[in-house]
């Protein structure tokens, strides 16, 4: 019989509550994004198979088999998914497909499934929605949030911004999309190092980790891990979980309340006050003169 400190057991229980697959798929919401043809659909097909069969995903164990609902929103996506999945498991055990994800099928999925995978966000939005307008994106993300609140983990697939706009490193559209998930997986074609692709996993509760992946076709098209390692943090750039959570709350407040506000002192003070931050004026050292100010969190030094 092993004697384990209760603190360690409490940490493990918390991680089990936060993740469906440790460090990769969050129990609340996970955003998977990348450029077109980067392999996102192959990745989530592999994820669906791992969840449905209780098998490892990218080398990380899944606790148990779970029922998976797939919402495919692009025209012609279902035959492609069936073909890919059949090469992994032709019985399709524990996998169902939502035929009308824009309708009430999305909400009904909670009756028959443990996990929902949506591929992709663009096709789930109303036809007149604008990805750059949070007001048209928010209702759809709130539908997914409601499922999460009822205990269903949601994996949402999305496109990266176009190359040249942030070099394709960020999700396409409004910042509201980026602030929605608790965990993010960024898949990109890897031009350097081992493997053919790179998957960067980041979130509030685990260190950012880079997986070098090799896209293999050994009877089935799937990714295999060639190398994995945590992203080295700069000393002056390190943020603990509490700080990241605070920054996330602040970002969400900006998205919800600052549309159309000019970047003036009044708007800044309004933002900082809501976040419990006391503005602290400092004297400018710039050649142009003028004034600058910084912020201080009470009790934060």
């Amino acid at each position: 019989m092993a004697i384990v400190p209760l603190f360690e057991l409490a940490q493990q229980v918390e991680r089990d509550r936060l993740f469906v697959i440790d460090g990769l798929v969050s129990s609340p919401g996970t955003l998977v994004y990348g450029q077109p043809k980067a392999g996102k659909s192959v990745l989530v097909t592999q994820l669906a198979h791992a969840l449905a069969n209780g098998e490892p995903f990218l080398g990380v164990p899944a606790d148990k088999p779970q029922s998976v609902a797939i919402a495919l929103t692009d025209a012609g996506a279902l035959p492609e998914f069936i073909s890919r999945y059949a090469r992994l498991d032709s019985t399709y055990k524990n996998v169902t497909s939502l035929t009308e994800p824009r309708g009430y099928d999305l909400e009904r999925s909670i009756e028959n499934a443990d996990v929902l995978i949506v591929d992709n966000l663009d096709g789930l939005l109303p036809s007149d929605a604008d990805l750059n307008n949070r007001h048209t994106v928010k209702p759809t993300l709130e539908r997914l949030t409601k499922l999460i609140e009822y205990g269903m983990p949601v994996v949402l697939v999305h496109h990266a911004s176009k190359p040249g706009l942030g070099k394709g490193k960020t999700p396409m559209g409004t910042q509201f999309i980026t602030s929605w998930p608790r965990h993010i997986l960024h898949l990109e074609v890897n031009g350097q190092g081992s493997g053919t692709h790179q998957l960067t996993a980041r979130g509030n509760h685990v260190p950012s980790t880079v997986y070098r992946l090799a896209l293999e076709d050994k009877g089935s098209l799937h990714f295999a891990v060639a190398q994995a390692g945590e992203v080295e943090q700069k000393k002056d750039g390190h943020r603990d979980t509490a700080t990241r959570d605070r920054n996330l709350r602040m970002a969400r407040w900006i998205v919800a309340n600052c549309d159309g506000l000019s970047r003036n002192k009044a708007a800044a003070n309004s933002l900082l006050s809501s976040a419990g931050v006391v503005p602290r004026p400092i004297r400018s050292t710039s050649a142009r003169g003028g004034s600058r100010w910084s912020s201080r969190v009470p009790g934060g030094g």
Side-chain angles (χ1 to χ4, degrees):
M1 178 183 296
I3 299 176
V4 182
L6 188 60
F7 175 72
E8 292 183 12
L9 290 176
Q11 284 186 318
Q12 184 59 49
V13 168
E14 179 66 9
R15 287 183 71 86
D16 289 345
R17 185 182 68 83
L18 290 171
F19 289 96
V20 177
I21 295 181
D22 193 26
L24 286 168
V25 181
S26 170
S27 291
T30 302
L31 182 71
V32 180
Y33 77 98
Q35 293 292 337
K37 308 301 181 182
K40 302 184 296 296
S41 293
V42 172
L43 185 72
V44 296
T45 301
Q46 186 174 343
L47 171 61
H49 177 262
L51 291 171
N53 292 275
E55 296 180 357
F57 175 63
L58 301 182
V60 181
D63 290 336
K64 59 182 180 180
Q66 303 194 64
S67 298
V68 181
I70 302 289
L72 303 169
T73 63
D74 283 347
L78 182 57
E80 294 177 4
F81 175 82
I82 290 174
S83 176
R84 283 194 305 270
Y85 198 93
R87 298 174 69 182
L88 298 169
D89 178 11
S90 60
T91 69
Y92 308 102
K93 180 180 65 176
N94 291 333
V95 180
T96 58
S97 175
L98 307 184
T99 57
E100 296 290 341
R102 281 185 179 175
Y104 290 112
D105 277 3
L106 201 65
E107 283 72 21
R108 292 193 183 103
S109 65
I110 200 167
E111 299 175 1
N112 303 304
D114 302 310
V115 181
L116 173 65
I117 298 176
V118 180
D119 186 3
N120 57 60
L121 172 60
D122 200 15
L124 189 63
L125 294 170
S127 57
D128 59 348
D130 178 0
L131 278 171
N132 295 306
N133 185 334
R134 72 178 181 90
H135 296 291
T136 60
V137 172
K138 184 177 180 181
T140 298
L141 292 180
E142 285 181 339
R143 292 180 67 193
L144 298 177
T145 299
K146 184 63 67 175
L147 293 174
I148 292 170
E149 290 172 351
Y150 276 90
M152 172 176 274
V154 175
V155 178
L156 179 61
V157 181
H158 187 42
H159 298 302
S161 57
K162 294 180 180 179
L165 301 175
K167 298 182 179 179
K169 298 291 186 180
T170 58
M172 181 181 291
T174 172
Q175 178 67 23
F176 191 79
I177 296 171
T178 305
S179 67
W180 173 79
R182 296 294 289 172
H183 203 66
I184 294 177
L185 302 179
H186 178 206
L187 181 66
E188 53 191 329
V189 177
N190 177 34
Q192 299 178 351
S194 59
T196 59
H197 290 67
Q198 174 176 299
L199 181 72
T200 304
R202 66 181 190 272
N204 285 2
H205 298 281
V206 292
S208 294
T209 303
V210 172
Y211 297 83
R212 304 288 184 183
L213 305 178
L215 185 59
E216 299 180 348
D217 190 353
K218 297 178 179 179
S220 63
L221 195 62
H222 66 280
F223 286 106
V225 178
Q227 183 181 355
E230 293 182 7
V231 177
E232 183 177 352
Q233 299 285 344
K234 296 181 180 179
K235 289 184 179 180
D236 61 350
H238 178 75
R239 295 291 185 269
D240 59 22
T241 298
T243 302
R244 291 197 298 268
D245 280 342
R246 183 182 63 191
N247 290 344
L248 179 60
R249 290 194 300 270
M250 186 175 291
R252 284 176 171 163
W253 192 96
I254 293 172
V255 170
N257 297 278
C258 289
D259 267 11
L261 288 180
S262 61
R263 298 179 65 183
N264 55 30
K265 187 174 181 180
N269 283 341
S270 175
L271 166 63
L272 292 170
S273 297
S274 73
V277 180
V278 179
R280 180 179 60 187
I282 60 175
R283 185 168 298 177
S284 172
T285 57
S286 66
R288 295 182 179 180
S291 63
R292 296 188 293 123
W293 54 272
S294 66
S295 62
R296 175 172 57 88
V297 178

